[in-house]
């Protein structure tokens, strides 16, 4: 069934700012709060689309910058759009490429018209403007597309952050002007660094432009977590209650719980798949570095409380053996586990919000999660 984009706020937690909702998109309905696995190159690393659906992925994110460079938006458009190209029938969100371009450092030059950058693949020169970012994302055919913003680094000066957020506002207006009337929907992005007054200025300016949803960018870029929470506390209350709120680039279990408690509806991050490939897994009590020698004869599941395919069938000792032997199955099993763990965590949060139990659930999470977290964070 086809849906136009809409956000429905179902329930709010009376003791926190947690929200239960639904996102309606042309490719299906998404229950929120939601974690979006990242499929940078039109694939979530090590996972088939069927496996993603089986573990509960409702929506995934793909990357405009990478797909622009390879294979190119014209190829994806000719294939019938990103959904058909990658065989994913559920919703897709594409970022604008802003974060990747601005992380290139001396490989890029920022001007008012846009950003000139050199490809990290072959050094070729490219130009990305707000209009070009929209054009690429329209060709990709994602359900939700993002405005082109300037991602403020951490640390930076107040003056830089202010100039950056004001450029982001101007670019957001240009993105809106470039959007046709079609089934795709455009989100604006709030910037402002780690300065409360600038975050609030940016939120007001972006909200005044009246987007279908609002993302908070420029966080989880190296600042301490308490500082990120402080920025959320001063920003989220300025975002419209009836629109979805998206915290970009955040995916550790503790940050998902605390983000929801502060009113965030959507999250994405490469963290679960990246650390999986390095032999680290997420558990209900914290990180477990499965590469460590202490697990060589440990025949328990990665997390005895987890119901994923990996934990139902394989031991820590076996997964460690695969990782140490550089076997592809090892990183597939850790990836399946980490993504399942986060998607299941979000389901637990939604259930707690539905049952008016989120504050107590959050307390239980922290009682367990902080108990042993650091003890499982050592090298071999």
């Amino acid at each position: 069934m086809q849906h136009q984009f809409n956000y429905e706020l179902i329930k709010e937690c009376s003791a926190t700012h947690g929200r239960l909702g639904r996102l309606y998109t042309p490719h299906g309905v998404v229950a929120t709060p939601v974690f979006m696995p990242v499929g940078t190159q039109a694939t979530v690393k090590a996972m088939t689309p069927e496996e993603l659906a089986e573990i509960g992925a409702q929506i995934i994110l793909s990357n405009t910058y990478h797909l622009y460079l390879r294979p190119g938006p014209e190829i994806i458009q000719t294939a019938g759009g990103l959904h058909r190209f990658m065989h994913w029938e559920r919703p897709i969100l594409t970022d604008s490429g802003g974060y990747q371009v601005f992380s290139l450092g001396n490989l890029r030059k920022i001007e008012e018209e846009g950003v000139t950058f050199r490809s990290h693949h072959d050094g070729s020169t490219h130009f990305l403007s707000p209009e070009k970012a929209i054009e690429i994302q329209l060709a990709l055919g994602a359900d939700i597309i993002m405005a082109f913003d300037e991602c403020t680094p951490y640390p930076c000066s107040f003056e830089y952050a202010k100039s950056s957020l004001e450029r982001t506002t101007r670019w957001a207006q240009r993105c809106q002007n470039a959007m046709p009337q079609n089934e795709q929907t455009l989100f604006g992005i709030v910037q402002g660094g780690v300065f409360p007054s600038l975050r609030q200025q940016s939120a007001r300016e972006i909200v005044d432009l009246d987007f279908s949803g609002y993302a908070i960018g420029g966080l989880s870029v190296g600042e301490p977590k308490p500082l990120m929470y402080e920025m959320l506390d001063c920003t989220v209350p300025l975002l419209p209650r009836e629109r979805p709120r998206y915290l970009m680039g955040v995916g550790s279990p503790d940050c998902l719980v605390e983000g929801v408690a502060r009113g965030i509806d959507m999250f994405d991050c490469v963290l679960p798949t990246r650390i999986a490939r390095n032999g680290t897994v997420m558990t209900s009590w914290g990180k477990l570095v499965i590469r460590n020698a202490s697990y060589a004869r440990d025949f328990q599941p990665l997390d005895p409380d987890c119901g994923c395919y990996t934990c139902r069938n394989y031991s820590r000792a076996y997964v460690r053996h695969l990782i140490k032997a550089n076997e592809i199955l090892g990183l597939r099993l850790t990836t399946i586990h980490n993504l399942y763990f986060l998607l299941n965590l979000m389901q637990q949060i939604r259930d707690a919000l539905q049952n008016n139990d989120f504050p107590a659930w959050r307390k239980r999470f922290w009682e367990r999660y902080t108990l042993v977290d650091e003890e499982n964070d050592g090298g071999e």
Side-chain angles (χ1 to χ4, degrees):
M1 180 180 180
Q2 296 292 302
H3 300 274
Q4 293 299 315
F5 182 86
N6 188 38
Y7 172 72
E8 177 188 8
L9 178 58
I10 298 171
K11 181 178 283 192
E12 293 176 283
C13 175
S14 59
T16 70
H17 296 287
R19 293 144 50 96
L20 188 71
R22 290 192 193 97
L23 280 176
Y24 294 87
T25 81
H27 286 87
V29 183
V30 177
T32 62
V34 64
F35 175 77
M36 301 180 285
V38 176
T40 301
Q41 308 268 15
T43 176
V44 176
K45 284 182 170 49
M47 300 287 289
T48 67
E50 290 81 4
E51 288 170 334
L52 286 169
E54 186 177 335
I55 65 172
Q58 304 180 74
I59 174 173
I60 63 172
L61 178 145
S62 280
N63 184 268
T64 296
Y65 167 84
H66 289 284
L67 295 177
Y68 162 70
L69 292 178
R70 186 175 61 188
E74 65 286 345
I75 289 178
I76 294 175
Q77 187 173 37
T78 303
L82 200 49
H83 290 88
R84 186 169 294 177
F85 186 60
M86 66 179 293
H87 181 51
W88 175 254
E89 297 177 353
R90 297 182 181 187
I92 297 175
L93 181 149
T94 46
D95 64 15
S96 68
Y99 174 80
Q100 286 71 28
V101 167
F102 292 105
S103 66
L104 289 173
N106 58 11
L107 293 177
R108 50 92 174 132
K109 180 182 179 184
I110 307 169
E111 299 173 298
E112 184 61 28
E113 186 57 29
V115 183
T116 302
F117 65 95
R118 296 210 327 261
S119 166
H120 70 285
H121 292 306
D122 58 12
S124 57
T125 300
H126 302 267
F127 178 74
L128 195 57
S129 66
E131 293 80 8
K132 182 70 173 179
I134 295 297
E135 177 188 327
I136 296 167
Q137 293 182 86
L138 291 174
L140 297 177
D143 301 84
I144 301 171
I145 70 178
M146 303 303 299
F148 188 60
D149 63 322
E150 181 176 347
C151 185
T152 312
Y154 175 84
C156 72
S157 68
F158 181 93
E159 292 72 22
Y160 184 99
K162 182 175 175 63
S163 170
S164 174
L165 84 85
E166 290 171 349
R167 177 179 284 128
T168 288
T169 300
R170 295 191 296 272
W171 284 359
Q173 179 68 74
R174 287 167 58 185
C175 286
Q176 278 193 329
N177 294 341
M179 273 294 289
Q181 292 295 318
N182 68 0
E183 289 188 334
Q184 294 167 279
T185 196
L186 178 66
F187 280 20
I189 303 177
V190 174
Q191 289 289 344
V194 293
F195 304 99
S197 63
L198 297 185
R199 283 282 166 185
Q200 292 169 341
Q201 176 187 339
S202 181
R204 292 189 180 99
E205 290 178 359
I206 297 298
V207 168
D208 282 347
L209 294 175
D210 192 28
F211 286 93
S212 297
Y214 297 92
I216 299 173
L219 294 178
S220 192
V221 291
E223 80 282 1
K225 288 179 181 179
L227 191 53
M228 178 178 75
Y229 298 148
E230 181 185 338
M231 294 305 102
L232 293 179
D233 288 337
C234 72
T235 304
V236 174
L238 298 177
L239 304 179
R241 178 174 171 271
E242 69 281 2
R243 304 283 170 86
R245 303 156 176 173
Y246 166 26
L247 178 56
M248 307 181 79
V250 169
S252 64
D254 52 330
C255 290
L256 296 182
V257 172
E258 291 306 302
V260 169
R262 288 162 171 80
I264 299 297
D265 306 301
M266 305 167 67
F267 304 85
D268 83 280
C269 196
V270 298
L271 180 71
T273 50
R274 177 175 288 165
I275 67 172
R277 297 193 301 279
N278 294 326
T280 298
V281 295
M282 298 173 171
T283 75
S284 49
W285 62 87
K287 252 189 324 193
L288 187 151
V289 184
I290 200 63
R291 299 181 67 97
N292 288 0
S294 56
Y295 301 114
R297 295 177 178 271
D298 190 336
F299 301 105
Q300 298 181 83
L302 298 178
D303 183 343
D305 295 330
C306 178
C308 78
Y309 170 79
T310 304
C311 289
R312 292 198 314 270
N313 295 286
Y314 303 101
S315 69
R316 295 173 181 177
Y318 181 65
V319 174
R320 177 185 183 273
H321 157 68
L322 295 176
I323 294 290
K324 297 295 285 186
N326 293 317
E327 285 289 346
I328 293 172
L329 180 60
L331 62 88
R332 275 186 35 78
L333 292 179
T334 53
T335 299
I336 289 168
H337 168 80
N338 280 353
L339 288 176
Y340 177 96
F341 180 84
L342 286 191
L343 294 169
N344 184 59
L345 181 77
M346 300 309 290
Q347 182 63 60
Q348 291 179 47
I349 290 173
R350 292 193 296 271
D351 290 344
L353 288 166
Q354 179 65 55
N355 297 328
N356 302 312
D357 187 45
F358 179 65
W361 182 94
R362 180 188 182 195
K363 183 173 182 289
R364 292 192 300 271
F365 169 86
W366 275 114
E367 285 172 350
R368 187 171 190 191
Y369 192 77
T370 55
L371 187 62
V372 221
D373 188 35
E374 293 184 357
E375 295 179 26
N376 285 291
D377 197 18
E380 184 170 325

